[in-house]
Amino acid sequence: MSKIYNVTRLKQDDADNQDLKQKQTQQKKQAVFKVLAARKLMEAALRTKPFDRKKIAAAVDLYNAAIDIFPPIKEPYLALAYILWQFNNIEGAVQLLKTALHHNPHNDKAQ
């Protein structure tokens, strides 16, 4: 009986792992979509003089949403750190880069 249980349990574990991978893939896609939208907003905001702060704020919201959905994604951290740096919040930018490294230690750009 225990062998049957073990085989059944292994099959269930495999199915659970597949479900988790699919969920993570979907979350990453959603996060990337938000990052792309934020990037477009930032590009538009930076083309205006003075910079369009409403578009920058909307981009910040999208970058934060991407982080909430899929924390290992690196671009939102880098973009937010750049924005903080541009607004002379160097300490906040450094802290954000440290957070990026916490979530993704292989983030060579945050180092």
Side-chain angles (χ1 to χ4, degrees), residues 2-111:
S2 68
K3 287 184 181 182
I4 293 172
Y5 172 77
N6 287 341
V7 170
T8 303
R9 185 70 201 146
L10 287 174
K11 288 180 180 178
Q12 183 60 45
D13 288 347
D14 189 42
D16 290 345
N17 286 337
Q18 287 293 87
D19 289 346
L20 180 61
K21 285 180 184 179
Q22 287 176 347
K23 182 179 179 184
Q24 288 174 335
T25 300
Q26 186 62 30
Q27 288 172 329
K28 187 174 182 179
K29 286 179 183 179
Q30 290 172 350
V32 167
F33 178 78
K34 290 193 181 297
V35 166
L36 293 174
R39 189 185 305 159
K40 286 182 181 180
L41 279 170
M42 282 302 297
E43 289 170 358
L46 297 176
R47 280 194 298 266
T48 64
K49 299 291 181 204
F51 297 145
D52 186 334
R53 289 181 177 260
K54 287 183 181 181
K55 286 183 181 172
I56 292 172
V60 166
D61 289 344
L62 286 168
Y63 284 130
N64 282 320
I67 290 170
D68 289 343
I69 292 169
F70 193 74
I73 193 169
K74 65 183 173 182
E75 186 173 340
Y77 295 101
L78 300 175
L80 289 170
Y82 175 77
I83 292 167
L84 289 171
W85 178 71
Q86 287 295 313
F87 286 96
N88 292 319
N89 186 344
I90 308 303
E91 209 172 288
V94 170
Q95 185 58 43
L96 197 56
L97 293 174
K98 287 179 182 179
T99 302
L101 286 172
H102 171 76
H103 287 290
N104 185 352
H106 307 292
N107 187 341
D108 56 334
K109 291 185 179 181
Q111 293 176 357

